[in-house]
């Protein structure tokens, strides 16, 4: 058995034990405590949002349901936690959705399904065209999608100056840009269409990868990541709006089923309200992080809507067909039809 398999089993056993203990405590005191895992450090925007959610759940269920927060991936990395959600060993999480069990969920970072904040809100907020598709795809995994957490518009961090960054036909092949492993089917063809060389690398190795010159930059983050995670190795930030970064508030279907109808409806209403609040705040958050990048000496390249449309049109025309196998003919046809209008 591999180390990763043993570690995953150990995490599952530990989480199941926590689940059992919290269930006994709930029975004893007439309360339920749900464990919420998220990726970001304490005091980050996501952590504050998680605490808002927890405080409102306690208040609006009159203390019947409480939420205990585990920041900074304390319960395991996001793919491990995703499996634990499916098993009912973790109750809630704010994170990405894994494509391990259904490759069609690569839709969550499909390039240029949103090009600005208005189109992102329309597509990805609760009830939106793409939100509804993701919700249906996740259900068979025994996971409920409660709400999206709008993390921001995606961009690219590069350790060097970038010549002619607004031209989709420019040759940037001397720059090797990291694509995250599960994003290869979508973002490798995207970046290659925009003229860059690509390679894969896990998140934890990015900083060292740039420092040592193994890579020249990375895609798959938002301005907050450039400030918080890549400080000191970014020379140029390109706000190419390649994807809208969503971290999802997910729930174990088993955990939700253990609650009363009233408390489930209350939690869903809170999640929906906070999701809308976050969508309304995310543009200002992105802009504040872009200002921090500028203040630290990073060259920040932003794009007008027309300039973004030029990039989006090139990717949709030439790169999207290379992604069809990842999401399947039916879903690809839906997306093509939607964005042709």
């Amino acid at each position: 058995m591999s180390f990763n398999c043993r570690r995953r089993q150990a995490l599952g056993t530990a989480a199941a034990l926590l689940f059992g203990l919290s269930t006994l405590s709930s029975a004893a005191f007439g309360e339920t405590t749900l464990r919420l895992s998220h990726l970001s450090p304490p005091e980050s925007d996501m952590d504050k949002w998680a605490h808002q959610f927890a405080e409102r759940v306690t208040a609006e269920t009159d203390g019947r349901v409480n939420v205990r927060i585990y920041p900074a991936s304390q319960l395991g990395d996001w793919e491990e936690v995703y499996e634990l959600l499916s098993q009912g060993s973790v109750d809630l999480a704010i994170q990405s959705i894994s494509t391990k069990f259904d490759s069609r969920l690569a839709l969550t970072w499909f390039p240029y399904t949103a090009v600005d904040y208005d189109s992102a809100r329309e597509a990805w907020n609760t009830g939106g065209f793409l939100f509804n598709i993701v919700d249906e795809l996740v259900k068979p995994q025994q996971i409920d999608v409660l709400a999206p957490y709008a993390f921001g518009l995606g961009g690219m961090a590069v350790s060097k100056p970038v010549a002619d960054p607004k031209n989709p036909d420019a040759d940037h092949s001397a720059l090797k840009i990291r694509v995250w492993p599960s994003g290869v089917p979508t973002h490798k063809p995207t970046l290659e269409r925009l003229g860059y060389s690509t390679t894969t690398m896990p998140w934890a190795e990015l900083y060292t990868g740039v420092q040592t010159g193994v890579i020249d930059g990375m895609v798959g983050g938002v301005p907050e990541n450039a400030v918080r995670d890549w400080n000191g190795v970014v020379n140029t930030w390109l706000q190419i709006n390649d994807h809208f970064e969503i971290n999802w508030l997910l729930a174990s279907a088993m955990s939700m089923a253990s609650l009363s109808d009233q408390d489930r409806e209350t939690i869903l209403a809170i999640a929906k309200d906070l999701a809308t609040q976050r969508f309304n705040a995310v543009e200002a958050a992105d802009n504040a992080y872009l200002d921090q990048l500028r203040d630290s000496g990073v060259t920040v390249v932003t794009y007008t809507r027309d300039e973004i449309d030029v990039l989006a049109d090139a990717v949709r025309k030439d790169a999207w067909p290379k992604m069809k196998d990842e999401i399947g003919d039916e879903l690809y046809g839906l997306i093509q039809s939607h964005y042709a209008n």
Side-chain angles (χ1 to χ4, degrees):
M1 183 185 293
S2 71
F3 171 76
N4 284 338
C5 287
R6 290 195 301 271
R7 181 168 181 257
R8 191 173 291 115
Q9 280 190 352
L11 280 167
T13 302
L17 180 59
L18 281 172
F19 178 75
L21 290 174
S22 67
T23 302
L24 289 173
S25 176
S26 299
F29 296 99
E31 298 176 357
T32 297
T33 298
L34 304 176
R35 293 160 318 289
L36 187 155
S37 167
H38 73 72
L39 306 171
S40 296
E43 299 303 317
S44 62
D45 288 352
M46 182 184 290
D47 188 59
K48 293 174 183 175
W49 193 81
H51 278 277
Q52 279 185 284
F53 173 76
E55 290 163 7
R56 285 189 57 180
V57 167
T58 298
E60 295 178 35
T61 63
D62 296 323
R64 290 186 301 275
V65 182
N66 298 286
V67 177
R68 182 174 179 180
I69 297 169
Y70 296 83
S73 300
Q74 290 178 14
L75 298 183
D77 72 40
W78 68 273
E79 295 215 62
E80 290 170 329
V81 168
Y82 192 82
E83 292 188 41
L84 295 174
L85 282 168
S86 182
Q87 298 163 9
S89 300
V90 170
D91 305 301
L92 300 160
I94 307 170
Q95 61 171 63
S96 296
I97 291 175
S98 176
T99 60
K100 180 177 180 179
F101 306 106
D102 191 336
S103 68
R104 293 174 297 172
L105 286 163
L107 174 66
T108 57
W109 49 69
F110 211 75
Y112 293 110
T113 54
V115 293
D116 59 16
Y117 298 97
D118 288 338
S119 60
R121 184 184 296 106
E122 180 183 355
W124 289 113
N125 200 4
T126 49
F129 165 67
L130 295 177
F131 175 91
N132 289 340
I133 292 174
V134 169
D135 189 28
E136 288 302 313
L137 292 177
V138 169
K139 282 186 188 301
Q141 298 170 29
Q142 297 302 305
I143 294 174
D144 293 337
V145 179
L146 301 188
Y149 173 83
F151 203 30
L153 275 167
M156 188 162 65
V158 189
S159 62
K160 303 173 181 178
V162 181
D164 203 10
K166 298 185 178 183
N167 179 4
D169 299 315
D171 181 5
H172 305 297
S173 58
L175 296 173
K176 186 180 289 186
I177 306 300
R178 169 267 188 182
V179 176
W180 68 104
S182 55
V184 168
T186 57
H187 273 67
K188 180 178 170 66
T190 295
L191 291 187
E192 289 178 350
R193 172 58 187 87
L194 298 179
Y196 298 90
S197 298
T198 63
T199 189
T200 57
M201 184 176 288
W203 182 271
E205 299 175 16
L206 295 184
Y207 198 94
T208 302
V210 174
Q211 280 185 320
T212 58
V214 175
I215 58 172
D216 299 302
M218 64 283 280
V219 73
V222 299
E224 181 180 350
N225 294 123
V227 171
R228 190 185 71 209
D229 303 317
W230 305 328
N231 182 35
V233 296
V234 180
N235 173 279
T236 305
W237 175 262
L238 305 180
Q239 188 58 57
I240 58 174
N241 296 7
D242 57 291
H243 72 297
F244 192 78
E245 183 79 5
I246 298 282
N247 279 183
W248 304 82
L249 176 56
L250 306 172
S252 164
M254 286 178 271
S255 298
M256 292 297 286
S258 71
L259 303 176
S260 69
D261 291 345
Q262 178 185 353
D263 288 341
R264 277 198 305 274
E265 290 171 6
T266 297
I267 289 171
L268 284 168
I270 293 168
K272 183 176 181 179
D273 182 50
L274 288 175
T276 297
Q277 289 184 33
R278 176 62 189 177
F279 266 103
N280 292 339
V282 70
E283 182 174 5
D286 274 356
N287 286 333
Y289 286 114
L290 291 176
D291 285 341
Q292 289 185 52
L293 289 174
R294 294 185 184 99
D295 291 344
S296 68
V298 173
T299 298
V300 174
V301 179
T302 57
Y303 298 72
T304 66
R305 174 59 189 267
D306 287 343
E307 290 167 341
I308 286 292
D309 283 341
V310 169
L311 300 183
D313 289 345
V315 170
R316 289 171 178 172
K317 177 177 179 290
D318 299 326
W320 272 17
K322 299 178 181 179
M323 307 171 199
K324 185 197 291 193
D325 289 347
E326 189 71 4
I327 63 172
D329 291 344
E330 181 180 359
L331 187 49
Y332 183 76
L334 279 174
I335 292 173
Q336 269 200 320
S337 174
H338 184 84
Y339 289 95
N341 296 328

